[in-house]
């Protein structure tokens, strides 16, 4: 079988490996498609070399079918379509004890801390499987993981139908959040400096605004008749984006911190105090988010055709990472059957 | 009657004025005691000259008795002990519409935007009155307003019995928060760099730690067996204090932003994301907080003897502000009957 592996120094290799039978409690998946995530790019850039063990099989956005079943696994049959929630929590830490095992202090993330899905066959704990409906295409289903991120972010915001939501940043996760928020009945505006990305937002019949061309707080005041927005999603990972998110909110507004802020940005805590805002961290997803993501994908509520800009064979993985790096693609899927 | 007024340039004057009868819908209070708040000091320092109209009668922490009653006011009788929730909302803005009228966009704050209680007789809208129990001393009752701030802060945190709470800063509000949190059944630790203030914290049988002498995050990890604290109250208004608050929290921990951050501090949003923290703004109080504050004061749950460091006559108001400025006093009450 084919396996793509990160070997350090910005390089991936594709090698022929022998499949290993699933251990007790595991399921072996026949991986159909694996998406490339921003985290995979970070790993390729060496930013997580201290965390990953090389050679490292990346990949955690996938869909496939059950290929074989380890001892003690019930409820699954060979051929069942499935995706994977790639989180293995310890079950004992403070996060696990408050029913937030998805942010377990000793979390093992499949595809980062353990082998991922950029291989033809992937053994995973049966607990990590999430069932897919038979009529959902496996390409579309490969978007379950990033869609679950967006579902989690929207759920953390407490967004209600009729509320006004600002999304700061229109990469794949920002676009997904905008769609999930719209599905939840919100009015949505997306701030995005890239004209190309704004065009994509507009092609989905969402409003896109260039934050460099307007005073974002004044724009939102105009839009909301001076009320402010109810919810903002900070998906840019930039200090300016966080300024936009905090600066546009109404009294008791909620800003969800989705983007990775490697450098602590200056945050207008006076405004947080004055308007009694909440800034809410949101990381990965819980099982209910995964199940909702599958429902939304099956219902056609997620524009998978717009999001999936390319599908390439596994031996083109290096070129696919390069294309993602160049920023011209939304989501590239690797065909792992190839 | 005597009235203390801020006349600009860091000066207060005490003048003899004629009491005005209460207008329809108003009540005239015989003011017994008025506490000096940090905001009053800010005003004296000229920091709010653009907002206050001079000469300005300051004061919004008070207790007294009903002296006379305007037309159309029911439920109150001359002699009734009362305090005032000094907020007059517009009733129409986005904050008022989401039942957060205490942070109304056009809020009139009595004692800042309209005359306050540093005078012998004070006319206020009857809606602003809050009833006091007959057996609660009016000196103690003058702490209702700052106690209500603390009650509101604790309520915004969602603190539950058995949770571990960190209070950053032991000024009057920090001390009140620590006491209210303890009353709610939390384990409380107070971080405070001033040795004098730490002694006061310890005299109330609370744990006080010098944040300059320890690694605060490591200290909390030790205290909580690596879990982290459930709640942190940032009452210092400093970047370092916010760093302590965010740095000590457990997964899904809540940091309440109470202190005034005039300069946006750098905030570790990566940790907010990673541990799914919530940073929650909390400003003033709502009526239920006032009522709970009166209950706590009447129950003896608030150490009023420790908090009230001095009681002085109205004509010593300038000296009282100077003593507050020197930082040697917790809370000075002005006897407005004098």
């Amino acid at each position: 079988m084919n396996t793509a592996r990160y070997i350090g120094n910005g390089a991936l290799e594709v090698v022929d490996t022998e499949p290993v039978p699933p251990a007790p409690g595991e399921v072996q998946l026949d991986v159909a498609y694996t998406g490339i995530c921003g985290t995979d790019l970070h790993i390729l850039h060496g930013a997580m070399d201290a965390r990953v063990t090389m050679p490292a099989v990346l990949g955690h956005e996938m869909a496939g079918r059950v290929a074989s079943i380890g001892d003690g696994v019930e409820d699954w049959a060979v051929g069942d379509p499935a995706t994977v929630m790639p989180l293995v929590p310890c079950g004992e830490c403070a996060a696990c004890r408050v029913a937030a095992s998805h942010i377990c202090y000793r979390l093992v993330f499949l595809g980062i801390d353990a082998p991922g899905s950029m291989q033809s066959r992937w053994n995973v704990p049966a607990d990590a499987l999430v069932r897919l409906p038979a009529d959902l295409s496996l390409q579309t289903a490969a978007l379950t993981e990033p869609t679950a991120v967006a579902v989690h972010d929207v759920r953390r915001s407490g967004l209600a139908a009729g509320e006004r939501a600002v999304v700061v940043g229109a990469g794949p996760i920002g676009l997904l959040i905008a769609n999930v928020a719209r599905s939840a009945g919100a009015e949505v505006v997306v701030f995005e400096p890239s004209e190309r990305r704004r065009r994509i937002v507009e092609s989905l019949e969402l409003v896109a605004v260039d934050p460099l061309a307007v005073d974002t707080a004044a724009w939102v005041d105009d839009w909301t008749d001076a009320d402010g927005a109810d919810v903002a999603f900070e998906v840019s990972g930039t200090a300016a984006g966080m300024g936009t998110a905090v600066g546009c909110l109404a009294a008791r507004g909620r800003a969800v911190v989705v983007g990775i802020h490697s450098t602590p940005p200056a945050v207008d805590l006076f405004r947080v105090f004055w308007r009694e805002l909440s800034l809410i961290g949101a990381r990965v997803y819980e099982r209910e988010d995964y199940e909702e993501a599958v429902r939304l994908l099956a219902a056609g509520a997620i524009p998978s055709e717009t999001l999936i800009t390319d599908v390439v064979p596994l031996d083109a993985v290096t070129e696919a990472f390069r294309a993602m790096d160049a920023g011209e693609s939304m989501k590239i899927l690797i065909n792992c059957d190839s």
Side-chain angles (χ1 to χ4, degrees), chain A:
Chain A
M1 69 178 213
N2 280 327
T3 300
R5 309 192 299 195
Y6 167 61
I7 53 173
N9 297 313
L12 295 160
E13 64 175 12
V14 180
V15 291
D16 189 14
T17 57
E18 271 304 304
V20 176
E26 285 189 342
V27 165
Q28 183 173 82
L29 292 170
D30 184 0
V31 181
Y33 300 98
T34 295
I36 301 174
C37 167
T39 304
D40 300 320
L41 290 177
H42 273 294
I43 294 173
L44 188 70
H45 295 156
M48 296 167 75
D49 278 4
R51 182 168 164 194
V52 300
T53 304
M54 287 174 255
V57 184
L58 308 185
H60 57 270
E61 304 180 1
M62 60 74 65
R65 291 184 184 279
V66 173
S68 68
I69 294 172
D71 287 346
V73 175
E74 293 176 3
D75 303 328
W76 290 96
V78 170
D80 281 351
T83 184
V84 169
M85 188 167 113
L87 311 180
V88 183
C90 76
E92 292 172 2
C93 71
C96 289
R97 292 200 313 272
V98 298
S101 64
H102 65 298
I103 52 169
C104 168
Y105 290 8
R106 292 181 285 271
L107 189 69
V108 173
F109 196 106
L110 305 180
I112 300 175
D113 307 305
S117 61
M118 286 190 190
Q119 50 184 339
S120 314
R121 295 287 171 100
W122 188 29
N123 295 347
V124 297
D127 289 348
L129 289 193
V130 175
R131 197 171 295 279
L132 294 172
D135 57 353
L136 178 61
S137 92
L138 294 180
Q139 280 193 15
T140 300
L143 297 177
T144 303
E145 199 266 3
T147 303
V149 168
V151 169
H152 185 66
D153 297 336
V154 170
R155 191 161 63 84
R156 287 281 287 161
S157 78
L159 189 72
E163 287 196 315
R164 287 171 293 206
V166 166
V167 179
V168 183
I173 296 295
L175 269 187
L176 283 163
I177 289 172
N179 278 280
V180 172
R182 174 166 60 182
S183 288
E187 289 181 64
V188 179
V189 166
V190 181
F191 283 110
E192 168 57 55
S194 150
E195 189 183 351
R196 192 181 55 76
R197 289 188 162 180
R198 286 201 305 278
R199 294 255 162 89
I200 297 172
V201 172
E202 287 163 351
S203 77
L204 301 172
E205 296 180 349
L206 287 158
V207 177
V209 176
D210 180 359
L212 305 179
V214 299
D215 174 328
T216 55
W219 194 95
V220 172
D221 268 350
D222 272 357
W223 175 43
T224 61
D225 203 14
D227 287 356
D230 302 293
V231 170
F233 298 93
E234 202 309 284
V235 202
S236 75
T238 67
M242 193 62 196
T244 292
V246 169
C248 76
L249 287 174
R252 291 267 168 105
R254 297 91 73 196
V256 182
V257 179
V258 178
I260 305 285
H261 290 261
S262 315
T263 304
V267 177
D268 185 354
L269 292 187
F270 182 79
R271 188 175 168 90
V272 170
F273 156 81
W274 192 252
R275 289 212 162 176
E276 290 202 335
L277 307 181
S278 294
L279 312 188
I280 301 165
R283 178 177 155 213
V284 294
Y285 27 67
E286 298 170 77
R287 183 161 277 266
E288 67 185 283
D289 302 315
Y290 245 71
E291 288 167 355
E292 175 66 7
V294 170
R295 273 194 295 274
L296 287 170
L297 287 161
I302 303 299
S304 49
E305 304 76 19
T306 302
L307 281 156
I308 300 169
T309 42
D310 215 349
V311 183
V312 303
L314 190 58
D315 57 15
V317 66
T318 296
E319 292 73 17
F321 271 70
R322 260 193 221 126
M324 285 295 294
D325 249 344
E328 293 301 307
S329 300
M330 272 287 164
K331 185 61 72 185
I332 299 179
L333 300 187
I334 310 291
N335 182 340
C336 295
D337 267 343
S338 60

